[in-house]
Amino acid sequence: MADRVLVTGVSGFIGGHLAAELLRRGYSVRGSVRSPSRIGEVHTAMAAAGVEPADLDICRLDLLSDQGWAEAAAGCRYVLHVASPFVLEKPKDPYTLIRPATEGATRAVGAALDAGAERVVMTSALATMQFARTPKGHICTDSDWTDPDDPRLNAYTVSKVRAERAARELAQRRGAQDRLAVVNPGAVIGPLLTDDPGTSVTAIQQIMSGALPMVPDLRLPWVDVRDVADVHIAAMSSAHAGGRRTIIATDPMSLIEVAGVIRERLPQASHKLPKRAMPTWFTWLASAFEPQLRDNRWLIGQKQRFDRTPAETLLGHPLRPVPDAIEETGRSLAERRLI
């Protein structure tokens, strides 16, 4: 009988790729959605990934409710907690993000430990490390922690820090530190399985659609969603991942460089691409009026570096080249007429 894996947030971009890869490898998957209305999307995603969903069953779980968590985790050898709230616009009350992220993390970890799961792998974010106050030229590692009380942070980043800390503290109280592994991805892109572009893919969608005639000099640590899925699966059983945080991200590439990759590799979809980046002074001026830019203006022109060695050790090979991931993202957006 195939090992069963619970994947929370299976209708999301990472969750869909993760479920598909698990099925491809012969696991039985139980995936959770918040609303039954998204079940059809999950089946569509599995078909797009070329897998047969016979070994996939779907349950309903809410990050803010205890209902169903024990039943969902029962009989699962591994639990992969991918689900997390996200909004594109800054909420008036940051706790609309912080509370479900934190409570969802503790519900998932608690249910996994109660059910006897060998390992629970939690999807966190590079943001829980990359905004730590460090010296210039510092290479970010798993020992770095973003301060959730830093006034520069947006609600999303605070929610990720507090959720990861809550999960780790719960595992520690239960004496189960080695049964929790955390994966911290950067900006996740790659081929789409549905018409929902996900969070980071939206940045490429805006570049290709002409929504950004000029782009700010923001540099993002892109990573292919398939590598993210593979690292989650490797972390399920690897002794090296137990009790650890694993960065999976590349050294950042600017938005104008992303546009250059698309122009070179997908010329047929390049007619709306921006040709230049905003001057730094103009970006700072514009950030006074644009909330999303204001939340990220401290990254303008920044050239951060990240230690991806542990992720590549888990994978057994280097991360996929970012230009390839950008090309496949752009191709998916064009083929689905999302630009």
Side-chain angles (χ1 to χ4, degrees), residues 81-149:
H81 179 50
V82 186
S84 183
F86 191 92
V87 294
L88 290 176
E89 294 187 5
K90 185 176 181 179
K92 292 182 179 179
D93 180 2
Y95 277 88
T96 59
L97 277 175
I98 296 169
R99 183 176 164 231
T102 304
E103 291 190 17
T106 54
R107 283 188 171 91
V109 173
L113 297 180
D114 289 343
E118 291 182 18
R119 176 71 52 80
V120 51
V121 182
M122 176 180 170
T123 312
S124 185
L126 185 62
T128 68
M129 306 172 181
Q130 77 178 115
F131 302 131
R133 294 183 182 272
T134 56
K136 188 174 181 179
H138 174 76
I139 298 176
C140 181
T141 72
D142 62 354
S143 63
D144 291 311
W145 275 98
T146 298
D147 179 1
D149 296 319

Side-chain angles (χ1 to χ4, degrees), residues 119-263:
R119 176 71 52 80
V120 51
V121 182
M122 176 180 170
T123 312
S124 185
L126 185 62
T128 68
M129 306 172 181
Q130 77 178 115
F131 302 131
R133 294 183 182 272
T134 56
K136 188 174 181 179
H138 174 76
I139 298 176
C140 181
T141 72
D142 62 354
S143 63
D144 291 311
W145 275 98
T146 298
D147 179 1
D149 296 319
D150 189 326
R152 300 175 298 172
L153 301 181
N154 60 26
Y156 168 74
T157 300
V158 174
S159 76
K160 301 303 284 189
V161 177
R162 295 201 182 282
E164 185 181 335
R165 284 197 177 278
R168 292 169 63 87
E169 288 165 4
L170 175 58
Q172 188 171 19
R173 287 198 305 271
R174 299 279 295 270
Q177 299 95 315
D178 290 345
R179 290 168 65 191
L180 172 66
V182 179
V183 176
N184 302 77
V188 184
I189 58 174
L192 303 183
L193 299 180
T194 70
D195 287 345
D196 182 355
T199 305
S200 299
V201 173
T202 298
I204 295 179
Q205 182 185 36
Q206 290 179 323
I207 291 173
M208 295 181 70
S209 68
L212 300 173
M214 284 197 302
V215 291
D217 186 18
L218 293 178
R219 300 158 191 260
L220 299 178
W222 310 99
V223 63
D224 193 297
V225 66
R226 293 163 295 186
D227 283 339
V228 175
D230 288 344
V231 164
H232 278 76
I233 296 171
M236 291 193 315
S237 56
S238 171
H240 297 293
R244 297 286 304 273
R245 312 160 80 202
T246 299
I247 293 173
I248 179 162
T250 58
D251 293 341
M253 178 184 286
S254 71
L255 297 181
I256 199 66
E257 289 173 313
V258 170
V261 171
I262 296 169
R263 184 174 286 108

Side-chain angles (χ1 to χ4, degrees), residues 48-61:
V51 297
E52 174 56 51
D55 286 324
L56 170 68
D57 71 82
I58 301 176
C59 63
R60 181 181 179 277
L61 293 175

Side-chain angles (χ1 to χ4, degrees), residues 260-283:
V261 171
I262 296 169
R263 184 174 286 108
E264 176 186 347
R265 298 195 178 194
L266 299 170
Q268 71 279 11
S270 299
H271 58 287
K272 297 179 183 178
L273 288 172
K275 292 184 172 60
R276 60 194 181 100
M278 291 180 189
T280 300
W281 67 266
F282 185 80
T283 306

